[in-house]
Amino acid sequence: MGDFKDKVVVITGAGGGLGKAHAIEFAKRGAKIVLNDLGGSGDGKGQSDMVDSAVEEIRALGAEAIANKASVSDKEGAQSIIDDAVAAFGTVDILVNNAGILRDKSFKNMDMADWDIVMNVHMNGSAYVTKAAWPIMYEKNYGRIVFTSSSSGIYGNFGQTNYAAAKAGVIGFTQTWARELGPHGVRSVAVCPGFVQTPILETIPQPVMQALLAKVPLGRLAKPEEIAGVYAFLASEDAGYINGVAIEVSGGIMM
């Protein structure tokens, strides 16, 4: 694994779950971390100071870290994430677009407001934060962008029209920006997790979860740290020739 000493890593949706696991992984490897999280619930409602606790955990590991509580789905908020990184640490080297929410419902019963907010967080949020970070990476001819897609973005999933469409769009971002940004020293990759043991899965009824796990050959949820290690590898110099791919990390899920 590559060493991230003195690298500045921005992680959205880092107040808990996968995002916090990513922050811990990068911090253990010497990175300086900007943890962004609005602090809302798994369906995107409300806000809180949960990211402050995550920052304290990172600092307890001996790493430098700051919090940002803006919404990625707001252009000015997205810009503030990168502005805070530059103000605190001088630059941005690695961007992990991880922020996400769920508003699951069959399309027949879906309110289009649930469509809009999922698209705004996953699609627009990834675009807004990347747009803010891109000039910095371009100027120094170096950058790593890791997007969070999903197995649902590859296969689809019942009740997740909005989420699956957004995550498929993230793969499109990855492949296109690999072409556009690659010549300027910036690699773009995506990770497509399956079912991970995070609070957001608590919104799924237990019978439904059991049915989903039956589709996973390994027969269990992934641990957050198992997924975080993949992100760290893809952002490292050891993965220097990996660009434009969407890597599924799902325990061999068969949708």
Side-chain angles (χ1 to χ4, degrees):
M1 283 283 189
D3 190 325
F4 297 103
K5 181 175 173 56
D6 296 327
K7 295 294 185 187
V8 178
V9 182
V10 172
I11 305 171
T12 66
L18 265 182
K20 187 170 79 170
H22 300 332
I24 290 170
E25 187 70 26
F26 280 105
K28 286 179 177 178
R29 299 176 185 278
K32 301 173 182 179
I33 317 288
V34 178
L35 293 85
N36 156 263
D37 206 302
L38 183 63
S41 59
D43 60 3
K45 296 177 181 177
Q47 60 187 89
S48 71
D49 296 324
M50 66 183 292
V51 71
D52 291 335
S53 296
V55 166
E56 290 307 312
E57 285 190 46
I58 297 303
R59 289 175 177 169
L61 296 172
E64 296 182 59
I66 64 168
N68 175 283
K69 301 172 187 177
S71 171
V72 297
S73 64
D74 173 75
K75 292 186 183 72
E76 289 74 24
Q79 182 66 54
S80 78
I81 300 169
I82 302 305
D83 289 345
D84 284 356
V86 173
F89 303 125
T91 190
V92 175
D93 298 297
I94 298 163
L95 169 61
V96 178
N97 282 302
N98 177 76
I101 62 170
L102 289 175
R103 291 282 183 95
D104 290 358
K105 194 169 287 187
S106 67
F107 190 63
K108 174 180 177 291
N109 298 316
M110 183 179 292
D111 188 305
M112 293 313 287
D114 291 334
W115 173 276
D116 290 341
I117 191 170
V118 169
M119 286 294 174
N120 284 338
V121 173
H122 292 273
M123 291 279 287
N124 291 345
S126 294
Y128 294 160
V129 182
T130 302
K131 184 71 170 179
W134 159 237
I136 298 168
M137 295 178 175
Y138 176 88
E139 182 67 26
K140 62 183 183 179
N141 201 48
Y142 179 91
R144 306 288 181 257
I145 306 172
V146 186
F147 294 95
T148 300
S149 182
S150 168
S151 59
S152 293
I154 301 172
Y155 306 111
N157 197 21
F158 187 89
Q160 290 193 322
T161 301
N162 48 6
Y163 180 78
K167 289 307 194 184
V170 167
I171 295 174
F173 281 166
T174 301
Q175 294 170 334
T176 301
W177 286 338
R179 293 171 181 263
E180 294 187 6
L181 310 187
H184 304 284
V186 181
R187 291 195 285 107
S188 300
V189 295
V191 180
C192 304
F195 305 118
V196 187
Q197 193 171 340
T198 63
I200 199 168
L201 286 189
E202 294 173 3
T203 63
I204 300 177
Q206 196 60 31
V208 176
M209 177 55 65
Q210 291 303 316
L212 294 174
L213 286 177
K215 300 177 181 180
V216 183
L218 293 184
R220 64 174 177 84
L221 299 174
K223 298 174 183 177
E225 57 268 26
E226 292 177 302
I227 308 297
V230 177
Y231 281 69
F233 169 70
L234 290 173
S236 75
E237 297 311 305
D238 293 334
Y241 204 64
I242 299 177
N243 189 34
V245 299
I247 296 178
E248 187 180 357
V249 189
S250 64
I253 194 167
M254 299 178 182
M255 299 293 282

